[in-house]
Every structure is written in C-alpha cells, then in structure tokens.
Amino acid sequence: MMVHKTIKNIALIALMAIPFSSVQAQDDLESLLGEDNSTEVVTATFKSTRVVNGQSVEMLAPGALDFRISHRFGTTGEGPKDFWGLDQATIRLALEYGVNDWLNVGLGRSSFNKIVDGFAKVSLAKQTRGKNAFPVSIVYFSNVMINTSEKDDIVALDSNGNPSTSEYPFDGRLSFANQLLIAKKFNSKFSAQLTPSIVHRNLVELEVDMNTFYALGTGVRYKISPRVSINLEYFMRLESGDSDTAPNFQEFHDAFAVGFDIETGGHVFQLHLTNASQMNELGYITQTTDDFFDNGVRFGFNISREFTLKEKHKNKKKW
C-alpha cells in the first residue's frame, strides 16, 4: 500500500513541475528565420471539456450546447457474479453551454444521492505563442451541488432535555467546489494541467466528518493519432488540521483514472478505467471509496454531443 502511495506522489510531483517549465518542446521555424510579430492563441489543449472526471481548461465556443452522458460501472473485483461490475452503474446527465468567449455554464443531475449541480466556468487567461506569449491557460471553475435524496428529520434535545424534531435544512443539502485550472500545451501531442481544488459541505452526517477538503489534481494528455488521445488524471486529497480529528479521512482514496478520448465527428467518446464512482467534484474528490490498485477499478465512459446554436468564429487557427 505504501509503495502505491509513494509511486503516486512521485508522479504528482513530476507533473506539478510540467506546466511551469519554460522549455518549449519544439522550435518555431519562423522565429529561427526572423522576428515574428504575431501572437497566436493556443487551442485544443485537451480534446474535451473534461480530462476524465475533472474539468479541463477547454471551453465551449459561444453558442455551443453540449449534451453529456457520464457513466460509471461497479468495480471489476467482484468478478463474474457481478459481471465484472457491469451489473452496477451510476450515471450523470448534463447540459453545458458556451455563453461567450470567456464564460461557460452547465447543469447536471447524478443518480448517486440524486445530486443536482450547476456550475460556471470562466476563462481568465489563454496560452499564446509568438510576440507577448503567455505560457499557460488559466480557467476558474465554481460549482454548487444539491443533494435531493430523501433525508430523515433531525432530532435534537431542547433546553429542557426533551427531544424535538425539525426538517432537514435546505442549506444542509448544499456543497460547493472551487477550482483553478492551469494547463500548458507543450506541442501538438502533449498537454498537462494542474487543478488546485477546495470542496466544502455545509452539513456533514457525523461530527467527525470534515466539512472542507483541499486537493491537488493533475492531468496529462498525449495525442496518439489525429482523433485519439490517451489521458491520465489523479486527484490527491491534502491532509489538513481537520484530518487528525476525522478518522474517516483515511477510509477514502485519491481518485485516479486512465483512458482514451476518441473523436468521431460531433461526438467525443471518453473510455476509461477509474476508481471513482461519482462524477461531481464532491463525489470523486472526497468520497472515492475504492483503491485503484486494490481491486477498485471501474470501467466508465463519457459521451459528449455538441450542437451549434449560433455560428462559431471562423478562420480560427489551431496548433
């Protein structure tokens, strides 16, 4: 177990250094021949708006509507009696829309805990090449999640020691996630991203549970053909002062995933193996119950279908 954790931490440290490297993977021919006064926005850092479970810096174009189906099966460790996890499933359906060049919004619903989530995704900076080049793309992501599953009434003792019953409060159903996505496209094949994250739950079920979690996510993409890429993603939960007083912190695991992105016209298929069963930030960051390296592997997929509600910008260069 310690070996697996050491390997993952070494990989994380290596990935952390990647986006801030100033070394370019390939030379620009024009810069070798003479001064280049143009500035070009770097596009297609990732194939989709998701690396696997987590968000990527990719933004939908203005007027683009994305219908997304995300599906996670059970763990393969149960073997043939559970058809290697295919008899179990959780699902998330979502609509996402490009409002303008810098703002995307989305709304989704997950079968697990019947969570409804809404988010905003704001582009703060874009990676550029040439004159006045900027080394990375930066996106801010903010999400609110509402647990709509049935909840028991809360029973408490009044000042006289008598039990009193009240309805489960609405604000107790709310959770929030905030992330900063920082990514760099090194060349036409390789991209990497860092995702510092904060997840907060307004109300926890047990007194020893943590309300606030901190995590650092990493993701990489390597393009192996014009329409296929391989992705890796890892979210490491960071221990805080609350971790010492919350024994269940160790009961959960860091989310890890590896998979392929396949583009087929207007669809993007993401096929992957992961230990996370949930597809919202509260779930895959704070509530991953299985260890990827200890019979905790699940097969999953994301299917994205994009519809154009208004014309995209034309003559957009890609690198």
Side-chain angles (χ1 to χ4, degrees):
M1 196 71 105
M2 289 299 295
V3 173
H4 292 152
K5 187 173 182 180
T6 301
I7 292 173
K8 290 191 291 186
N9 288 343
I10 291 173
L12 177 68
I13 292 170
L15 288 173
M16 287 175 62
I18 289 174
F20 303 103
S21 170
S22 61
V23 178
Q24 294 291 340
Q26 63 182 24
D27 291 327
D28 186 337
L29 181 60
E30 290 182 356
S31 65
L32 294 176
L33 298 177
E35 184 178 357
D36 182 9
N37 292 320
S38 64
T39 300
E40 178 184 354
V41 175
V42 173
T43 61
T45 304
F46 290 90
K47 181 75 71 175
S48 169
T49 56
R50 301 294 191 285
V51 180
V52 177
N53 296 306
Q55 295 279 339
S56 77
V57 293
E58 288 303 304
M59 303 282 289
L60 295 173
L65 178 68
D66 184 35
F67 175 56
R68 180 172 293 269
I69 302 173
S70 300
H71 205 96
R72 303 293 183 270
F73 293 97
T75 58
T76 58
E78 294 297 324
K81 72 174 185 179
D82 203 19
F83 202 52
W84 291 274
L86 298 184
D87 287 346
Q88 303 176 25
T90 56
I91 190 171
R92 179 179 180 270
L93 303 176
L95 286 173
E96 303 175 9
Y97 182 69
V99 179
N100 51 40
D101 284 328
W102 56 268
L103 176 63
N104 285 181
V105 295
L107 182 67
R109 201 270 188 181
S110 301
S111 61
F112 189 91
N113 283 338
K114 307 183 187 305
I115 289 179
V116 175
D117 66 273
F119 73 81
K121 193 173 178 181
V122 180
S123 176
L124 302 179
K126 296 181 179 180
Q127 182 183 350
T128 56
R129 304 168 65 225
K131 187 177 182 180
N132 300 322
F134 192 75
V136 295
S137 294
I138 304 174
V139 172
Y140 170 67
F141 172 82
S142 184
N143 192 11
V144 58
M145 294 154 282
I146 307 172
N147 186 327
T148 66
S149 63
E150 186 174 341
K151 295 285 189 181
D152 294 331
D153 291 340
I154 295 178
V155 178
L157 299 179
D158 61 21
S159 58
N160 297 320
N162 299 316
S164 62
T165 302
S166 59
E167 290 186 359
Y168 198 93
F170 174 76
D171 59 355
R173 297 176 176 272
L174 300 179
S175 299
F176 306 89
N178 289 278
Q179 298 178 315
L180 196 63
L181 318 175
I182 308 168
K184 182 177 181 67
K185 186 174 184 179
F186 289 86
N187 54 41
S188 60
K189 292 183 178 295
F190 182 72
S191 303
Q193 177 176 296
L194 285 179
T195 309
S197 309
I198 301 175
V199 179
H200 178 80
R201 296 179 291 182
N202 273 358
L203 185 63
V204 294
E205 300 297 327
L206 301 174
E207 189 174 351
V208 296
D209 287 342
M210 294 172 58
N211 290 91
T212 304
F213 284 81
Y214 301 91
L216 182 60
T218 57
V220 296
R221 171 197 183 223
Y222 186 79
K223 190 175 180 180
I224 56 180
S225 78
R227 293 185 177 273
V228 179
S229 64
I230 184 171
N231 291 2
L232 292 171
E233 182 182 72
Y234 174 50
F235 275 85
M236 183 176 72
R237 298 169 306 133
L238 303 176
E239 296 192 26
S240 65
D242 292 336
S243 305
D244 298 330
T245 57
N248 68 331
F249 181 86
Q250 302 301 334
E251 295 177 6
F252 298 100
H253 299 273
D254 298 339
F256 180 76
V258 56
F260 293 92
D261 286 4
I262 305 171
E263 183 180 8
T264 59
H267 293 78
V268 175
F269 291 90
Q270 295 183 296
L271 310 176
H272 47 260
L273 299 175
T274 180
N275 60 329
S277 62
Q278 300 182 57
M279 293 144 281
N280 54 67
E281 287 66 34
L282 173 66
Y284 69 80
I285 292 178
T286 73
Q287 298 173 347
T288 295
T289 56
D290 300 294
D291 186 345
F292 186 91
F293 300 98
D294 187 17
N295 295 321
V297 178
R298 304 168 183 270
F299 173 67
F301 62 83
N302 303 327
I303 301 176
S304 171
R305 180 64 171 97
E306 187 174 315
F307 302 89
T308 302
L309 302 188
K310 66 180 182 180
E311 288 296 321
K312 299 179 182 179
H313 296 299
K314 297 183 178 180
N315 301 321
K316 193 174 184 180
K317 294 181 179 180
K318 287 189 175 183
W319 173 61

